[in-house]
């Protein structure tokens, strides 16, 4: 049952897993069109999606909902320290509540980085027939030495550079936003983290978008999807592109997403002929 208005008015809030979360909606509400729910990266939030949600709504005709997970943006602080399985907990404890709150009826989960992992875990472990497809931007399912090195470098920039000041523009508590992500990934116990088995249980179409120059994850993450998935998979591997394809290659990223949504919607509308 819906408990949150379909609105992009400043200050809109919904509650999930005992936390008050900021959110914003664009385009038609559920019931009038499919819905894309966007899940941000490990240092992201509603504001850091910039104008992408509105552009997606305009380009696809779908409704689009974005929200900041606990600890990010203007949402309630997260409980610290974050557990090493925080992405699994987000998928199992919070995401479904958010979908119910906005009145989600059918559509797509679009995740970036941590958000892509959370979307995959949800679709692979929760029986929710409302989710008809996944769009995974720079997903990760296991740790890589190069990615962990990049996160440690980010930690140095946060401690002695201007990263904290830049994050403070977008997060009510930049320490919680940054340390909740950084400290989990750099914990020695996290090196063995692997949630790729969630891919085995996907039964919906997937679009994976990856930059060739992504410092936080290599093409091995996309190869893992291709080798394990039993449902249709499309990939967009982008040159001259790092960890944020929507910023580094916005036109190619938007084109891939729009085409995927159009194909998925055509399949949804096709009549099933019974012999």
């Amino acid at each position: 049952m819906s408990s949150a208005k379909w609105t992009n008015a400043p200050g809109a809030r919904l509650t999930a897993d005992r936390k008050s979360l900021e959110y914003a909606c664009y385009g038609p509400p559920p019931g009038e069109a499919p819905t894309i729910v966007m899940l941000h990266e490990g240092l992201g939030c509603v504001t850091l999606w910039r104008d992408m949600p509105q552009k997606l709504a305009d380009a696809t005709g779908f409704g689009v909902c974005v929200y900041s997970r606990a600890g990010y943006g203007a949402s309630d602080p997260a409980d610290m320290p974050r557990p090493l399985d925080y992405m699994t907990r987000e998928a199992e404890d919070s995401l479904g509540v958010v979908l119910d709150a906005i009145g989600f009826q059918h559509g797509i989960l679009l995740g970036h980085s941590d958000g892509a992992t959370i979307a995959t875990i949800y679709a692979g472990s929760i029986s929710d027939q409302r989710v008809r497809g996944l769009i995974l931007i720079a997903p990760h399912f296991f740790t890589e030495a190069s990615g962990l090195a990049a996160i440690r470098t980010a930690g140095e920039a946060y401690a002695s550079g201007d990263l904290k000041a830049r994050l403070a523009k977008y997060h009510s508590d930049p320490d919680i936003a940054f340390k909740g992500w950084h400290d989990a990934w750099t914990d020695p116990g996290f090196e063995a983290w692997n949630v790729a088995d969630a891919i085995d249980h996907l039964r919906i179409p997937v679009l994976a978008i990856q930059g060739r120059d992504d410092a936080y994850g290599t093409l091995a993450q996309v190869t893992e999807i291709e080798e394990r998935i039993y449902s249709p998979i499309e990939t967009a591997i982008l040159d001259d592109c790092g960890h944020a394809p929507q910023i580094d290659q916005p036109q190619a990223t938007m084109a891939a997403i729009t085409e995927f949504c159009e194909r998925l919607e055509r399949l949804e509308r096709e009549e099933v002929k019974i012999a």
Side-chain angles (χ1 to χ4, degrees), residues 63 141 148:
F141 307 103
L148 294 177

Side-chain angles (χ1 to χ4, degrees), residues 182-206:
H182 171 272
D183 292 0
W185 277 84
T186 57
D187 187 296
F190 199 81
E191 291 185 11
W193 174 81
N194 190 314
V195 294
D197 59 346
I199 301 168
D200 301 338
H201 303 285
L202 297 177
R203 296 296 184 269
I204 53 178
V206 173

Side-chain angles (χ1 to χ4, degrees), residues 35-199:
T35 303
I36 299 172
V37 177
M38 302 178 71
L39 290 84
H40 61 75
E41 63 173 316
L43 295 178
C45 63
V46 166
T47 304
L48 282 170
W49 281 115
R50 299 181 172 85
D51 60 355
M52 187 179 179
Q54 184 64 67
K55 286 185 174 180
L56 266 181
D58 293 341
T60 63
F62 289 17
V64 177
C65 179
V66 295
Y67 72 100
S68 297
R69 298 189 294 276
Y72 297 103
S75 291
D76 280 356
D79 299 329
M80 298 288 281
R82 283 193 183 276
L84 301 190
D85 64 345
Y86 71 93
M87 285 177 274
T88 296
R89 296 192 188 200
E90 285 284 354
E92 295 179 348
D93 299 338
S94 298
L95 178 52
V97 179
V98 172
L99 298 181
D100 291 344
I102 65 170
F104 185 76
Q105 295 188 19
H106 73 282
I108 295 170
L109 301 181
L110 184 160
H112 175 215
S113 192
D114 275 16
T117 305
I118 293 166
T120 303
I121 295 171
Y122 183 85
S125 61
I126 304 297
S127 179
D128 189 343
Q129 296 185 4
R130 298 174 298 177
V131 179
R132 308 297 177 83
L134 294 179
I135 298 172
L136 308 177
I137 303 175
H140 41 244
F141 307 103
F142 50 87
T143 59
E144 297 179 273
S146 57
L148 294 177
I151 293 171
R152 287 191 289 269
T153 298
E156 295 169 3
Y158 190 83
S160 59
D162 67 346
L163 180 55
K164 180 174 181 176
R166 287 189 283 124
L167 290 177
K169 298 177 182 178
Y170 305 103
H171 302 288
S172 298
D173 191 326
D175 283 340
I176 287 180
F178 183 81
K179 293 179 179 179
W181 166 76
H182 171 272
D183 292 0
W185 277 84
T186 57
D187 187 296
F190 199 81
E191 291 185 11
W193 174 81
N194 190 314
V195 294
D197 59 346
I199 301 168

Side-chain angles (χ1 to χ4, degrees), residues 59-60 62 257-267:
T60 63
F62 289 17
I257 292 173
T258 302
E259 291 167 7
F260 178 79
C261 291
E262 289 175 349
R263 283 192 292 274
L264 193 61
E265 183 66 359
R266 284 199 301 271
L267 288 173

